[in-house]
Amino acid sequence: MGIDTHRSVEPTSKPKSEEPELVFVPEEPKFSLDDIILPQAVRDELLDVATYADNAHLVFEIWGFKHTHKFSRRIGINLYGPSGTGKTMAAHAIAKNLNRKILVVNYADVESKYVGETPKNLRKVFDAGRATNSILFFDEADAILSRRVTNMTQAVDVSVNQTRSVMLMLMNEYQDFIIFATNFIENFDPAFMRRISVHVKFELPDLECRRRLWRKYIPKELPNNLDVDELARKFEGISGSDIANAMLNAAFKAARLGSNSLDRTLVFAAVENIIESKQANNPHRIKS
Ligand SMILES: Nc1ncnc2c1ncn2[C@@H]1O[C@H](COP(=O)(O)OP(=O)(O)O)[C@@H](O)[C@H]1O
Ligand SMILES: [Mg+2]
């Protein structure tokens, strides 16, 4: 299956149960480290992570620490920080750096409304990771790694906790490296925290990174009167994703207006529009 989805519904055969069959397919990493604009310190941390992943195999598998350090083993890395700062890109880049495919799992892919199905789906994810020798990447992992529900008055809470227990067990058994990305770290369950070896913090780009981002997202071919330095200084507190989106939105606006060049005022308006919609929304809930 070459399409970019992990949920595959077989339309021809009659489904055995009400649930569609889930197939988790790894993909070639879409980004490399060179595609991501980050402060040097964060970039170095990502490179360290890639090294850790390589060495984890040596230490745990070949040198046998999987037997002696079964439960102190730390196999995860967590990329955290605001939405749109390059965490998903970074996960791809790490996999690419390791010359591995990446198996991207969003919680929605494994969550099932049927009691007991979610843990089964999670097992399939880990099995697929093993079978395909790919890097597991739990994107937007908040839902799955957050604290256990303590007030278990409802069946749903029981099943959420059951899912977490299964997740912990699967992580304990897993022989390989896992990447998580989350916009919230506050809610992480300590049991998961203990299994994560490195936390890499992503921040909104500083002035220099914003300059580089603007430069990156203004195509060479585009006729324009944009001043990168001006843009970088004028708009603080915006993410790489905001910059990329603003450029694209402004370009479509210019095209619709029949302009043959992109005027800076259109980009200003596009950024302001993004800032406004972010403020109108709960900033934590904005999806990149
Ligand atoms: N640091 C960055 N460098 C280059 N592009 C970025 C960066 N951060 C975000 N982008 C742009 O925004 C898009 C969304 O970024 P993503 O990695 O999904 O953010 P996150 O996972 O942190 O929410 C990327 O595909 C890219 O176009
Ligand atoms: Mg993301």
Side-chain angles (χ1 to χ4, degrees):
M1 200 180 77
I3 51 172
D4 186 11
T5 175
H6 312 291
R7 186 180 283 260
S8 146
V9 185
E10 289 167 5
T12 46
S13 62
K14 202 163 179 275
K16 289 168 218 80
S17 67
E18 280 182 77
E19 278 283 84
E21 183 71 12
L22 290 182
V23 180
F24 296 96
V25 185
E27 55 190 290
E28 290 298 334
K30 292 197 181 89
F31 302 100
S32 72
L33 272 175
D34 291 335
D35 296 321
I36 319 176
I37 289 169
L38 292 170
Q40 190 57 43
V42 179
R43 207 184 135 86
D44 288 344
E45 278 182 83
L46 293 178
L47 283 167
D48 286 348
V49 162
T51 315
Y52 180 93
D54 268 344
N55 291 339
H57 183 76
L58 173 69
V59 170
F60 288 110
E61 296 303 304
I62 299 172
W63 290 353
F65 279 74
K66 67 178 173 189
H67 304 300
T68 52
H69 291 65
K70 211 170 177 173
F71 297 105
S72 57
R73 178 167 181 188
R74 297 171 169 224
I75 56 161
I77 103 137
N78 180 37
L79 314 173
Y80 73 100
S83 174
T85 48
K87 301 181 298 295
T88 298
M89 288 179 99
H92 282 261
I94 292 168
K96 184 150 198 156
N97 209 269
L98 292 166
N99 274 317
R100 305 267 296 274
K101 286 190 176 182
I102 185 167
L103 203 163
V104 184
V105 189
N106 284 292
Y107 187 62
D109 295 339
V110 290
E111 191 185 32
S112 169
K113 60 181 190 278
Y114 300 98
V115 175
E117 285 296 316
T118 308
K120 274 188 213 156
N121 293 338
L122 275 177
R123 268 197 197 92
K124 285 186 195 165
V125 167
F126 281 84
D127 288 345
R130 255 186 293 264
T132 59
N133 190 37
S134 49
I135 298 284
L136 280 187
F137 170 41
F138 289 87
D139 202 1
E140 324 237 323
D142 327 290
I144 212 157
L145 298 184
S146 59
R147 283 172 201 284
R148 282 153 210 252
V149 182
T150 44
N151 177 21
M152 289 193 291
T153 49
Q154 293 170 334
V156 65
D157 294 342
V158 177
S159 100
V160 165
N161 284 343
Q162 186 202 0
T163 300
R164 293 215 181 94
S165 305
V166 169
M167 180 72 185
L168 276 172
M169 197 199 71
L170 290 167
M171 282 172 72
N172 281 338
E173 287 173 354
Y174 198 56
Q175 308 297 328
D176 210 336
F177 185 71
I178 306 177
I179 306 176
F180 301 96
T182 173
N183 297 341
F184 313 85
I185 195 170
E186 302 82 13
N187 298 334
F188 263 38
D189 189 314
F192 287 116
M193 289 296 269
R194 279 198 295 280
R195 283 163 180 84
I196 289 172
S197 55
V198 200
H199 294 270
V200 181
K201 184 175 185 185
F202 283 66
E203 285 179 289
L204 290 172
D206 61 12
L207 178 63
E208 183 46 32
C209 283
R210 289 200 303 276
R211 275 195 200 103
R212 291 163 60 201
L213 283 159
W214 281 112
R215 220 170 279 137
K216 177 179 168 70
Y217 288 111
I218 302 171
K220 304 271 171 293
E221 297 83 351
L222 175 76
N224 71 85
N225 63 358
L226 303 175
D227 176 344
V228 162
D229 195 59
E230 177 191 33
L231 285 164
R233 288 181 188 282
K234 190 171 166 69
F235 300 107
E236 277 180 78
I238 57 173
S239 68
S241 175
D242 295 336
I243 289 174
N245 289 337
M247 276 307 302
L248 196 59
N249 293 351
F252 272 100
K253 180 91 177 216
R256 186 168 64 76
L257 296 173
S259 325
N260 44 25
S261 162
L262 179 58
D263 190 73
R264 54 207 277 283
T265 55
L266 288 183
V267 178
F268 295 169
V271 178
E272 270 147 20
N273 190 282
I274 288 172
I275 292 172
E276 246 171 59
S277 61
K278 270 179 129 170
Q279 280 165 353
N281 209 310
N282 174 352
H284 287 303
R285 298 195 60 84
I286 290 186
K287 291 270 177 147
S288 50

